[in-house]
Amino acid sequence: MPGNDQSMSRPMPSEDPERARVSRRAMLGAAGVGAAGLAAGAFGMQSAKASVKPAVKPVPAKKVKPRRTKPVVTGSQDSSDHIVVHLAPGRKGDIDIYRGTSHVQLNDPELADRLRRSSQ
Amino acid sequence: MSSHREAPEISRDPAADSTDVYAFVSPDAPDTTTLIANYIPLQEPSGGPNFYEFGWDVLYDIHIDNNGDGEADITYQFKFHVHVRDPDTFLYNVGPITSIDSTNWNRYQTYSVHRIEGGKTTVLADGLMVPPCNIGPLSTPNFANLASEAIHTLPGGIKVYAGQRAEGFYVDLGSIFDLGNLRPFEQLHAKYGMHIFSKSAPGVNATNHLNVHSIALQVPTAQLLASGSKPNPTIGVWTTASRQKTRIYDGNKTTGMSVDSGPWVQVSRLGNPLVNEVLIPMGKKDLWNTKPPMDDKEFVSYFAQPGLSALLNDLYPGVFPHLAALVKSKKARADIEAILLTGIPSGIIDGFSNYTGATLADMLRLNTSIQPSKNPNILGVLGGDLAGYPNGRRVFDDVVTIELRALAGLTYPLIDPSYKPDAAASEVDDGLTNKSVKAPYLNAFPYLGTPYSGFYNPA
């Protein structure tokens, strides 16, 4: 088809051989390993097991103020520029981080507390 | 409906809402198997200017289990893209679309097909065209030609089509959802003492003049079976749709479009028709949609004690006395479990088995060694036609009647020959047949009829 068009799409998991799945079980198992590796890589951490300590010294909560970030303007639906952080209720210290099609889970009660306080 | 708007969450998300799955040995190419997954239910054909399209933010899968464990051994994965030639017009098309590459067509879709097996992903194709929706005689003057152009041949002798088709599933929604008041038996409906009908009436097909979006594959059957010298000829088939885990609205200040992030999460599932619709209770329907078939053990009580069986006796008092006694006995409906969750073992129906093992998993089970019937019966195995539902499902099979009758006790003798079904169990239906579908089924791929046009079906 002609090339001068705007296109919209989402990335496929199967486009990444690492995420190709034999089965749901296999995928979920592999995802755990992959996510841990990505967490370590993406956030400069030594380990991303059940409990992960931040590599940088935490900023005291009282110094953190809510900030409005500059909007990212993009002509496509590439979501890799967006990082979504989710703190689910009732899971002390658990932080879910989404970027592109990846999901990283951290356990950092101190950071989670700071984020909760920042959002109030 | 078979699975149209069957659960609260997915009813709010038509692009990801699976409506029907079909799997059958292709009648015109019996060394191949046709797999069809339908999405986007109840399309009113004139629904422009933004006509129906696959979700470019949805991941569509057709799964095949060929060893009976309820897990996908082979997955065909479909990803759609939207293209806009001129963002400065509000029009879907700026003139007649006479060929699939017509530049008059402003907003069109392409897609990729991946095959995933044994941890390996193979890109079968990318950039395949979806045909436009059938708008009317000026915009889509020869839709059948456009559809033909949108049938693509992939490596390995696979055919694929993704796009709008006429709805082939027939059902009298208006009567069924009016407290189960089946028109042919409405004079017997007495649950609430409202004897307002004195005689029976013919069924009304609620899906006439409505369209769906189909993803159809025709695959050489050998490519679907397990490797080995004597693979089990029965495969389990189901479809899923997935969305990414998070969505930020107004994430893009230029386009106003939302931005999704995170891994893909299953939001829709369909194997056998009507399972989530009428067997799974309201409080579990959304959960069921997120689960793989291999987890169906947790739902088995809804198959063993189907609520609709009890309801039939309740709505039509005195019509199903044997069924009432069966329900009261609390005996497990092993016949329903076999039909829907394991397949029917050999030795129960002469010359037939589509058993895949003890794993309880809702999959459409097709014994690919059974050749297409020369004289198909829309009641499938119930009608003595072993090539029809629940041996896979053909586009014209009367799955509403088959499942109604099974739930009414007609199939219970398969596991308890001493049980005598009620006379009404072999008669209950919604009064429809494949003749109730206005758009004729096709004799060749993709088998579902040409979609109804918006111009000729304005409402």
Side-chain angles (χ1 to χ4, degrees):
Chain A
M1 295 302 298
N4 289 333
D5 55 18
Q6 296 183 341
S7 70
M8 291 164 269
S9 69
R10 296 277 194 259
M12 289 186 70
S14 56
E15 284 165 356
D16 179 357
E18 290 295 315
R19 297 197 189 100
R21 52 182 180 170
V22 190
S23 67
R24 181 184 174 89
R25 274 186 187 139
M27 182 180 72
L28 292 176
V33 175
L38 182 61
F43 295 92
M45 296 171 184
Q46 295 177 335
S47 165
K49 293 182 181 175
S51 179
V52 178
K53 290 185 178 177
V56 295
K57 189 178 177 183
V59 179
K62 59 184 180 184
K63 293 184 180 176
V64 178
K65 294 179 181 175
R67 276 192 309 185
R68 188 178 295 275
T69 55
K70 192 175 179 183
V72 176
V73 179
T74 145
S76 71
Q77 284 306 294
D78 180 2
S79 65
S80 58
D81 292 344
H82 297 254
I83 298 173
V84 179
V85 178
H86 180 220
L87 274 69
R91 289 164 47 196
K92 188 168 174 57
D94 282 348
I95 304 171
D96 294 292
I97 303 168
Y98 303 102
R99 181 176 190 176
T101 56
S102 75
H103 174 202
V104 177
Q105 198 165 52
L106 307 178
N107 185 274
D108 185 337
E110 194 175 7
L111 178 58
D113 281 349
R114 279 196 291 124
L115 288 168
R116 285 188 197 283
R117 283 198 299 272
S118 301
S119 66
Q120 289 169 353
Chain B
M1 303 292 283
S2 172
S3 184
H4 309 51
R5 300 175 53 78
E6 87 288 355
E9 277 288 308
I10 201 63
S11 67
R12 303 185 300 123
D13 186 4
D17 186 358
S18 56
T19 65
D20 283 286
V21 172
Y22 304 95
F24 51 92
V25 176
S26 313
D28 53 335
D31 59 341
T32 70
T33 294
T34 297
L35 310 168
I36 304 174
N38 284 353
Y39 282 85
I40 317 176
L42 305 174
Q43 297 176 17
E44 199 281 298
S46 62
N50 289 288
F51 287 93
Y52 308 91
E53 62 188 22
F54 290 105
W56 48 269
D57 46 2
V58 176
L59 190 65
Y60 300 93
D61 288 335
I62 296 176
H63 306 282
I64 295 98
D65 169 25
N66 58 26
N67 60 12
D69 62 2
E71 295 195 60
D73 298 295
I74 299 165
T75 295
Y76 290 96
Q77 198 164 75
F78 303 83
K79 189 75 187 66
F80 292 85
H81 309 265
V82 174
H83 307 263
V84 178
R85 286 192 169 91
D86 179 5
D88 293 326
T89 176
F90 69 96
L91 293 165
Y92 180 79
N93 56 299
V94 296
I97 305 171
T98 53
S99 67
I100 208 160
D101 57 358
S102 167
T103 54
N104 285 336
W105 186 11
N106 189 38
R107 184 179 173 99
Y108 63 94
Q109 286 198 292
T110 61
Y111 63 103
S112 61
V113 186
H114 290 56
R115 176 183 159 108
I116 303 165
E117 182 179 16
K120 278 190 176 174
T121 297
T122 306
V123 182
L124 296 181
D126 199 0
L128 302 176
M129 287 294 297
V130 175
C133 288
N134 194 1
I135 301 168
L138 298 187
S139 293
T140 47
N142 192 334
F143 186 88
N145 276 359
L146 295 172
S148 295
E149 290 180 43
I151 296 174
H152 307 285
T153 301
L154 309 183
I158 298 171
K159 281 185 190 173
V160 64
Y161 172 92
Q164 196 177 44
R165 301 307 303 173
E167 175 62 273
F169 170 68
Y170 44 97
V171 61
D172 190 342
L173 287 179
S175 70
I176 287 175
F177 291 134
D178 186 17
L179 294 172
N181 190 23
L182 300 167
R183 289 180 219 266
F185 307 92
E186 59 190 13
Q187 76 279 15
L188 301 174
H189 190 287
K191 164 69 174 169
Y192 301 101
M194 297 183 291
H195 296 277
I196 60 175
F197 300 104
S198 59
K199 58 181 183 180
S200 69
V204 176
N205 182 13
T207 67
N208 259 337
H209 310 299
L210 298 179
N211 294 322
V212 290
H213 264 51
S214 299
I215 300 172
L217 275 174
Q218 190 165 79
V219 185
T221 301
Q223 296 179 26
L224 301 176
L225 305 181
S227 54
S229 57
K230 283 192 75 177
N232 185 341
T234 298
I235 56 173
V237 179
W238 72 101
T239 187
T240 60
S242 302
R243 284 191 174 279
Q244 285 183 274
K245 201 155 185 172
T246 74
R247 168 164 290 185
I248 303 291
Y249 285 96
D250 201 25
N252 186 315
K253 296 292 185 187
T254 304
T255 65
M257 296 175 66
S258 58
V259 173
D260 295 353
S261 298
W264 297 94
V265 179
Q266 183 181 312
V267 296
S268 180
R269 158 165 80 117
L270 179 57
N272 280 291
L274 300 163
V275 166
N276 202 14
E277 184 91 15
V278 300
L279 294 183
I280 307 299
M282 183 71 77
K284 301 270 188 178
K285 286 177 184 291
D286 295 326
L287 176 67
W288 189 92
N289 266 337
T290 68
K291 295 281 188 171
M294 66 181 181
D295 286 353
D296 280 338
K297 191 177 177 183
E298 72 177 276
F299 301 104
V300 70
S301 64
Y302 307 118
F303 294 78
Q305 307 291 340
L308 185 56
S309 297
L311 196 60
L312 273 176
N313 184 61
D314 211 20
L315 297 174
Y316 296 89
V319 177
F320 300 97
H322 297 168
L323 177 65
L326 179 59
V327 169
K328 195 174 177 184
S329 75
K330 302 275 186 198
K331 287 180 181 169
R333 290 295 303 273
D335 56 325
I336 302 297
E337 291 178 32
I339 292 168
L340 299 174
L341 294 178
T342 64
I344 299 170
S346 58
I348 293 178
I349 297 172
D350 281 348
F352 178 73
S353 166
N354 65 350
Y355 186 67
T356 54
T359 300
L360 301 170
D362 172 34
M363 303 184 291
L364 196 55
R365 288 173 172 80
L366 173 67
N367 184 334
T368 60
S369 71
I370 294 175
Q371 291 300 294
S373 172
K374 291 190 172 118
N375 297 296
N377 187 314
I378 61 171
L379 295 181
V381 176
L382 272 191
D385 177 0
L386 303 182
Y389 187 77
N391 185 30
R393 180 184 171 190
R394 299 166 299 195
V395 291
F396 50 77
D397 282 340
D398 187 356
V399 293
V400 172
T401 296
I402 294 168
E403 290 199 359
L404 262 178
R405 292 182 182 180
L407 291 166
L410 192 61
T411 53
Y412 195 68
L414 292 175
I415 58 110
D416 181 358
S418 69
Y419 177 80
K420 188 173 184 303
D422 297 296
S426 58
E427 295 177 15
V428 65
D429 68 7
D430 63 349
L432 301 175
T433 71
N434 56 328
K435 303 282 193 300
S436 309
V437 177
K438 298 288 186 206
Y441 299 103
L442 306 184
N443 291 322
F445 186 80
Y447 302 101
L448 289 165
T450 298
Y452 302 100
S453 86
F455 183 83
Y456 292 117
N457 300 276

